[in-house]
Amino acid sequence: NLIGQAFHRMGQIKDALASFDSALECDAKFADAYGNRGNMLSELGRQAEALSSFDRAIELNPNAALYWLNRGATLHGLGRVDEAIASYDRAIALDPEFTTPYVNRAGVLSQQGRWADAVADFDRAIALEPKFAEAHLGRAFALKGLARLDDALSSIDRALELQPELAAAHKGRAAILQALGRAEDAKASLDMAAEIEATPTDKVGKL
């Protein structure tokens, strides 16, 4: 399992998958190996196989919130959104202080237009991890969905305070400003997003 994780850190996903498969040949009840195998399959775009691997990990260790989180993300990728929400619900029930399930569930709720529920989940995530820039960003989009534009702008500005080179936040800020009738400010935010996206990754400063 450690070898597989090392391969993954080096970006060698197929080698990592082979290593996890080997670990399972030695111990067919190694829950973490199934969990890690599921992650590799997901990165390779093999979502149905990833789901089976996460399901097996959960059979072996049903109280691991991380497995339920990853199962939810896989189900979301497969378009099975109600099942994804149920998996996130289970992850949260098992570990109420685990931030990511709230953020992921909020993302699904936003896609369903359940803006108020999404804001509530983003608020819970931010209460647990106040410097989680992506949670502030997601909250801003949900607030925009509720037509709470001033609150949305405040939320997205907080995301940018935490992560100034988050291009998606600059684009989202532009959309909010446009909705507020501030066209010139919106253009400035779009220009900033374009500048960030044009910057080679290895030259972008640390956030």
Side-chain angles (χ1 to χ4, degrees), residues 65-181:
L66 181 61
Y67 301 158
W68 288 99
L69 168 69
N70 291 335
R71 181 178 187 270
T74 302
L75 286 163
H76 188 193
L78 289 167
R80 294 162 59 178
V81 293
D82 290 337
E83 293 173 85
I85 289 173
S87 282
Y88 294 140
D89 289 347
R90 184 59 182 153
I92 290 165
L94 288 166
D95 187 355
E97 296 188 358
F98 189 7
T99 307
T100 309
Y102 291 107
V103 173
N104 284 18
R105 186 172 70 179
V108 179
L109 293 168
S110 291
Q111 289 182 351
Q112 294 181 323
R114 296 168 60 183
W115 304 116
D117 291 335
V119 170
D121 266 355
F122 284 125
D123 283 344
R124 293 186 190 101
I126 290 165
L128 291 167
E129 198 171 333
K131 294 185 177 181
F132 194 165
E134 287 80 0
H136 289 280
L137 174 59
R139 181 176 185 270
F141 286 128
L143 288 165
K144 182 176 182 291
L146 291 170
R148 292 170 53 185
L149 297 179
D150 290 329
D151 291 336
L153 183 60
S154 295
S155 193
I156 213 160
D157 283 345
R158 179 58 178 150
L160 286 166
E161 286 175 14
L162 294 166
Q163 199 166 331
E165 292 177 342
L166 188 60
H170 287 284
K171 290 179 180 178
R173 187 172 191 272
I176 294 165
L177 289 165
Q178 191 69 45
L180 285 166

